[in-house]
Amino acid sequence: MGRYIVSRLAQLVIVFFGVTLLIYLAVWALPGDPIRAMAGDRPLSESVINAMREEHNLNDPVLVQYLKYMGDLLTGDFGTDFNGRSVSDQMVQRWPVTLRLAVTAWLIEIVVGIGLGVIAALRRGRWPDYTILLFSIAVISIPIFVLGYTAQLVLGVNAGIFPVSGVADGWPASYILPAVILSAFGLASVARLVRASVLENLRADYVRAAVAKGMSRRRVVSVHVLRNSLIAAVTFLGVELGFLLGGTVVVEGIFNVPGVGQLLFRSLQTQEGAVVVGVATALVLIFLLANLVVDLLYGVLDPRIRHD
């Protein structure tokens, strides 16, 4: 187990540096001069432009810029934007909002998605199964921004059930609707995944043996079938948390939620490369750590799985 953890950590480090390098190259390869873009229509003197380019290492080759950035990052410094504001401070102010939104959406996926999947499997071929199947297909087929704007109009503007935008009403009122929209695709995927896994395990020999010994159906499903069926769901849900954190860009834009996704979107518009790279780096790190935790949970959920 110890060697496996060390091996996975080594892989994590390699992937982290590789992905962050690609992100850094992609951001700084964007056309245009970010210094001149920051000034807008106001002209800047060449001395000011050169001083700012020197301050932010823009005169160095891209690989040298990346190495300097990673050196600062190892000390916890995510750099500063072109206005001199710390990227770390900006993320610290916005991360609680994004985490609250993403975790709310994640819990919805866990509770509702697993529940719908189990119901569909236990009612296979009946109306609950067909209803859940149609629901999952419909949700997966509709783009998230269409769902978001439609829910905002119907449930927010017309019905007045949820706040239209912002987080002034706090949790859960301001977060439920955007969290439901954010979790919609993953929820449908979890439901279909759990349904297929439960059906497969219901046909397994150990289930027949448990029933033949007189064990109640409820106990067979809750103790044996569900535990084995959750292995595939845990894999998806662990990765999904990283996707939810990164996917808040669209939802936070629709509902005007002041989180990291909104910061990333605005930074792309204003070509604030340091902010974009900083936010993307944090998201990559969270995603990789979530995958590591999922791998380690395999042995907890299924004793047959051993990490040698």
Side-chain angles (χ1 to χ4, degrees), residues 137-154:
I137 293 175
V139 169
I140 292 174
S141 303
I142 302 174
I144 188 171
F145 65 88
V146 175
L147 283 175
Y149 283 119
T150 302
Q152 187 181 50
L153 177 63
V154 175

Side-chain angles (χ1 to χ4, degrees), residues 37-251:
M38 180 188 67
D41 296 330
R42 296 171 299 174
L44 289 177
S45 65
E46 289 299 322
S47 60
V48 172
I49 293 175
N50 291 332
M52 293 189 68
R53 292 184 64 85
E54 187 67 29
E55 179 184 355
H56 294 281
N57 303 316
L58 296 180
N59 291 325
D60 296 328
V62 177
L63 289 179
V64 175
Q65 294 180 41
Y66 171 75
L67 292 176
K68 289 183 177 179
Y69 177 80
M70 294 306 297
D72 293 335
L73 185 64
L74 293 176
T75 65
D77 182 9
F78 282 83
T80 59
D81 64 14
F82 295 126
N83 293 311
R85 296 173 299 180
S86 170
V87 176
S88 300
D89 291 343
Q90 295 182 59
M91 289 196 295
V92 166
Q93 293 173 2
R94 292 172 177 263
W95 267 119
V97 176
T98 295
L99 286 173
R100 201 173 292 121
L101 175 60
V103 171
T104 302
W106 195 53
L107 292 176
I108 291 174
E109 288 190 14
I110 293 174
V111 176
V112 180
I114 292 177
L116 291 178
V118 173
I119 292 172
L122 297 180
R123 299 291 185 272
R124 181 187 181 187
R126 304 177 187 176
W127 70 266
D129 184 22
Y130 293 127
T131 302
I132 294 171
L133 179 62
L134 290 174
F135 164 77
S136 62
I137 293 175
V139 169
I140 292 174
S141 303
I142 302 174
I144 188 171
F145 65 88
V146 175
L147 283 175
Y149 283 119
T150 302
Q152 187 181 50
L153 177 63
V154 175
L155 300 177
V157 177
N158 295 340
I161 300 175
F162 298 100
V164 176
S165 66
V167 293
D169 293 333
W171 191 92
S174 298
Y175 290 87
I176 290 297
L177 186 57
V180 168
I181 300 303
L182 182 61
S183 66
F185 182 86
L187 186 153
S189 300
V190 170
R192 292 168 64 89
L193 187 62
V194 171
R195 176 187 181 276
S197 186
V198 169
L199 287 175
E200 180 181 356
N201 281 284
L202 285 173
R203 294 190 293 266
D205 292 337
Y206 72 89
V207 172
R208 297 193 185 96
V211 172
K213 291 180 179 179
M215 188 177 295
S216 66
R217 181 175 176 81
R218 176 177 297 180
R219 182 170 176 80
V220 170
V221 172
S222 60
V223 175
H224 299 287
V225 174
L226 188 56
R227 179 177 179 179
N228 287 289
S229 301
L230 285 180
I231 296 175
V234 165
T235 305
F236 178 86
L237 287 167
V239 177
E240 180 69 4
L241 181 58
F243 280 119
L244 288 174
L245 289 169
T248 57
V249 177
V250 176
V251 174

